[in-house]
Amino acid sequence: MESRCENCIIRQFNSLRAMSKEELKQVSDSKTTRTVKKGEPLFEEGDKLNGVYCVRNGVSKLSKLSANGKDQIVKLASKGEVLGQRSVISQESTNLSAIAVDDMEVCFIPKESINNTLQKNPNFTLEVLRHMAHDLKEADDVIVNISQKTVKQRMAEAFLYLKNNFGEDSEGYLALTLSREDISNVVGTATESAIRIISEFKKKGLIHTSGKRIGIKDERKLLEIVEGF
Amino acid sequence: MESRCENCIIRQFNSLRAMSKEELKQVSDSKTTRTVKKGEPLFEEGDKLNGVYCVRNGVSKLSKLSANGKDQIVKLASKGEVLGQRSVISQESTNLSAIAVDDMEVCFIPKESINNTLQKNPNFTLEVLRHMAHDLKEADDVIVNISQKTVKQRMAEAFLYLKNNFGEDSEGYLALTLSREDISNVVGTATESAIRIISEFKKKGLIHTSGKRIGIKDERKLLEIVEGF
DNA sequence: GGGATACTATGACAATTGTCAGGTTTGGGG
DNA sequence: CCCCAAACCTGACAATTGTCATAGTATCCC
C-alpha cells in the first residue's frame, strides 16, 4: 500500500503545498517511491531528468565535478527538499550530481505533472519561484564566504551549519556524519587541510571526535573564528 | 515624451516579454526612468526594494560586502537585465548592492505591477522562474570556479568572460573597462594579486594594456591557462 | 595648469594552503 | 575474528596568495 501525497507531511515543507487537491492527486498517481543506498547516485551531472525527486528521508549531497577532478558540494538536501527542479524547469540536463550521504527514501515525480501545474497554477509557480529565490540568495552567500574567508573560518562555519541544520544525536555528536573528504568538498579545500584543522580544533577544545563522528564543544569560540577572531 | 514599454526593444531580452498587452500598459504607466552616474548606487545591500530596475543602458555590478570589508562582485548586469527581482519576489531586503560601472539609464517598475502579474499570469511567472533557474546555475559554476581554480586561472577566465559578454571596442580593447579593484572583486582576490597577474600576462604577450584599458592578444593561450595548461 | 586624490604598479615578506609521501586506524565482508 | 581496503592522520616542503610599504601615474576639480 503506497502512501498518498495528499497525506504526506513532507509536503508541508516544500512548494507542493501550493498544489490543488486535484493536482496533488495526479502527482500521487504518477509518482514512484524509491530507496537509495548510501553512496549511490540519485542522478549525475549531465543527466537529463524526467522528473523531480522529493526527499522523504536521508540526506543527499549536490555536487559538481571540477576540471582537476575534485567535487565541490554546493548544497546538502534533506527531508522535504525537492531536487532536480532547476533542470526540469529550464529543460536542460542537470549541472549537479545528487549522491546519497545516508540511506534515502525519495519519491520520483514525473516532469509532466510538474510542468502541467507550472503552466496552470500561478500560486504553485510563485511558490517554486520563492524557493529558488531563496536558493539563489544562499548561493550568493556561499560565493562570498568561499572567496573572502580562510579555510579555518569556513571549517568552523561548516560545523555550525551542520549543527544548526541537522542537529545532534543523543551523545552530542553531529547527527549528520560526513567523511573528511565530504567535509573538505563542502568547504572547498584539500582533504589534508580539512583533517589538519579538525586536529587543531580538537587540540584547542572546540570540538571532540570519535571515529569519524564530530561533536561541538565550544560553539562560542567557533563563532568567533568564523567572524575572524 | 516618455517612451512606452510596449515599444521597448530591451523587453525582448527579459521576462517582460511574457506580459500581456494590458499588463505592459500598466507597467508602462507606472514606471519611471532614471539615469545613474558611474559609481552611484541603484540600491544597496539591506535596502527594501519597492520595485525592480530594468537596464536600458550601461552596466551595473552586483556585489556583496564581506566581513573583512571587501566586496565580492557576484554578477555584472547589462542591457535588458532586470535587477532586484529576487528581493521583490521573496519580499525581503536585498542581499546585494547594485552600483553603476558605466553611466546608466534604467527604468524603475513598482513592485505592485510585478506582483500583480506574478499572481495572474503563469506564463510570466514561469518566464521569471526560468531566468532565475539560469542565474542559479551560473552561481553554482562560480562557486566551483572560485573554490577549485587558482587566481591565475580565474583571471584568465574573467578576461575571456568580459570579451564574450561585453565585446571589444574599435581599437581592440575590452568594451567594458573595469578598475583593477573591480577586477579583483570579480575574481575574488587581492587587488595587488590581480595587478601582478595582469603584468605577468602582459609580459607573456597574452594581453596588452593602455591606461586601465585591457585588450586580449592571445585568446588560445588564455583558454589553456583556464583549463590548467 | 596645478595640486590633491585616487588608481596603478612593484618589491619584500609572511602566512596560508596544497602536494607528496609516508604511516596508522577503522570498519565491513568473508 | 581476522584481513584488507578504505579512510584517517601527520610531517615536510613548495607554491600560491595576501599584506604592507612605497613609488609612479592618471584624473578630476578648482
Side-chain angles (χ1 to χ4, degrees):
Chain A
M1 182 170 124
E2 277 273 285
S3 53
R4 305 283 307 169
C5 295
E6 295 92 317
N7 307 321
C8 182
I9 308 174
I10 300 303
R11 182 168 58 85
Q12 293 309 321
F13 301 124
N14 64 41
S15 2
L16 295 184
R17 68 175 169 206
M19 280 194 173
S20 70
K21 279 220 175 96
E22 305 88 73
E23 285 161 348
L24 261 184
K25 188 176 177 319
Q26 198 207 336
V27 165
S28 202
D29 288 343
S30 61
K31 82 159 200 291
T32 54
T33 304
R34 194 178 136 197
T35 61
V36 186
K37 291 230 181 76
K38 180 177 172 171
E40 284 178 359
L42 273 163
F43 53 81
E44 300 204 72
E45 210 175 323
D47 284 358
K48 289 201 173 127
L49 301 186
N50 293 315
V52 300
Y53 296 86
C54 177
V55 180
R56 287 171 61 99
N57 254 310
V59 177
S60 170
K61 58 178 174 182
L62 293 171
S63 66
K64 190 164 163 30
L65 199 66
S66 70
N68 63 28
K70 289 183 78 167
D71 273 327
Q72 173 68 36
I73 296 180
V74 164
K75 187 181 165 77
L76 292 166
S78 58
K79 187 193 284 190
E81 300 215 48
V82 178
L83 309 181
Q85 285 188 97
R86 185 161 69 263
S87 172
V88 165
I89 287 163
S90 55
Q91 302 166 14
E92 301 166 325
S93 52
T94 175
N95 60 326
L96 301 173
S97 296
I99 295 174
V101 170
D102 272 335
D103 288 349
M104 298 184 76
E105 196 181 346
V106 299
C107 291
F108 176 79
I109 303 171
K111 64 179 173 192
E112 288 73 22
S113 311
I114 301 292
N115 281 332
N116 200 16
T117 311
L118 278 176
Q119 268 151 27
K120 289 187 189 149
N121 181 346
N123 280 334
F124 176 67
T125 314
L126 194 49
E127 195 61 33
V128 174
L129 186 53
R130 290 217 174 96
H131 272 269
M132 202 157 292
H134 174 77
D135 282 352
L136 187 49
K137 187 174 176 179
E138 278 196 340
D140 286 340
D141 288 342
V142 171
I143 291 172
V144 175
N145 273 342
I146 288 199
S147 79
Q148 307 281 14
K149 289 187 180 157
T150 65
V151 174
K152 209 175 292 182
Q153 288 177 297
R154 284 181 269 145
M155 286 287 294
E157 193 161 45
F159 292 137
L160 296 174
Y161 171 84
L162 289 174
K163 176 174 173 184
N164 293 332
N165 285 272
F166 301 98
E168 298 174 324
D169 63 19
S170 53
E171 299 171 72
Y173 292 101
L174 293 172
L176 181 64
T177 302
L178 294 175
S179 72
R180 303 297 194 249
E181 188 180 1
D182 278 343
I183 293 176
S184 75
N185 288 343
V186 168
V187 169
T189 188
T191 307
E192 294 94 326
S193 297
I195 290 176
R196 238 181 281 276
I197 289 171
I198 290 172
S199 301
E200 186 189 329
F201 283 179
K202 201 160 58 173
K203 251 179 224 153
K204 290 191 180 158
L206 309 179
I207 60 175
H208 55 114
T209 68
S210 158
K212 55 169 54 182
R213 291 188 302 165
I214 293 176
I216 289 180
K217 244 177 159 174
D218 193 337
E219 189 160 350
R220 170 182 297 266
K221 278 232 180 81
L222 281 175
L223 249 175
E224 282 173 11
I225 289 180
V226 174
E227 307 295 343
F229 316 147
Chain B
M1 185 169 120
E2 276 273 285
S3 54
R4 305 284 307 169
C5 294
E6 294 92 316
N7 306 321
C8 180
I9 307 173
I10 299 303
R11 182 166 59 85
Q12 292 309 320
F13 300 124
N14 64 41
S15 3
L16 295 184
R17 68 175 168 204
M19 280 194 174
S20 69
K21 278 220 177 91
E22 305 89 70
E23 286 162 348
L24 262 183
K25 188 175 176 319
Q26 199 207 334
V27 164
S28 202
D29 289 342
S30 62
K31 82 159 200 289
T32 52
T33 303
R34 193 178 136 197
T35 61
V36 185
K37 290 227 181 76
K38 179 176 172 172
E40 284 178 359
L42 273 163
F43 52 81
E44 300 204 74
E45 210 176 324
D47 284 359
K48 290 203 171 127
L49 301 186
N50 293 316
V52 300
Y53 296 85
C54 178
V55 180
R56 287 169 63 98
N57 253 310
V59 177
S60 169
K61 57 178 175 182
L62 293 171
S63 66
K64 190 164 163 27
L65 199 67
S66 71
N68 63 27
K70 289 183 78 168
D71 272 328
Q72 173 67 36
I73 296 180
V74 165
K75 186 179 165 78
L76 293 166
S78 58
K79 188 194 283 189
E81 300 215 50
V82 178
L83 309 180
Q85 285 188 97
R86 185 160 69 263
S87 173
V88 165
I89 286 163
S90 55
Q91 303 164 14
E92 301 165 326
S93 52
T94 175
N95 61 325
L96 301 174
S97 297
I99 295 174
V101 170
D102 272 334
D103 288 349
M104 297 184 75
E105 196 183 345
V106 299
C107 291
F108 175 79
I109 304 171
K111 65 179 172 191
E112 288 72 22
S113 311
I114 301 291
N115 281 332
N116 200 17
T117 312
L118 278 175
Q119 268 152 26
K120 289 189 189 148
N121 181 347
N123 280 333
F124 175 67
T125 314
L126 194 50
E127 195 63 32
V128 174
L129 187 53
R130 290 217 175 96
H131 272 269
M132 202 159 290
H134 175 76
D135 281 351
L136 187 49
K137 188 175 176 177
E138 277 196 340
D140 286 341
D141 288 341
V142 171
I143 291 173
V144 175
N145 272 343
I146 288 199
S147 80
Q148 308 280 14
K149 289 186 178 156
T150 65
V151 174
K152 209 175 291 181
Q153 286 177 298
R154 284 181 268 144
M155 286 288 294
E157 194 162 43
F159 292 137
L160 296 174
Y161 170 84
L162 289 175
K163 177 174 173 185
N164 293 333
N165 284 271
F166 301 97
E168 297 174 325
D169 64 20
S170 52
E171 299 171 73
Y173 293 101
L174 292 172
L176 180 64
T177 301
L178 294 174
S179 71
R180 304 297 194 248
E181 189 180 3
D182 279 343
I183 293 176
S184 75
N185 289 343
V186 168
V187 168
T189 188
T191 307
E192 294 94 325
S193 297
I195 290 176
R196 239 181 280 277
I197 290 171
I198 289 173
S199 300
E200 185 189 330
F201 283 179
K202 201 160 60 173
K203 250 178 226 152
K204 291 190 179 158
L206 308 180
I207 61 176
H208 55 113
T209 68
S210 158
K212 54 169 56 180
R213 290 189 303 165
I214 294 176
I216 289 180
K217 244 176 160 175
D218 193 336
E219 188 159 350
R220 170 183 297 267
K221 278 230 179 83
L222 282 174
L223 249 175
E224 281 172 12
I225 288 180
V226 174
E227 306 297 342
F229 315 147

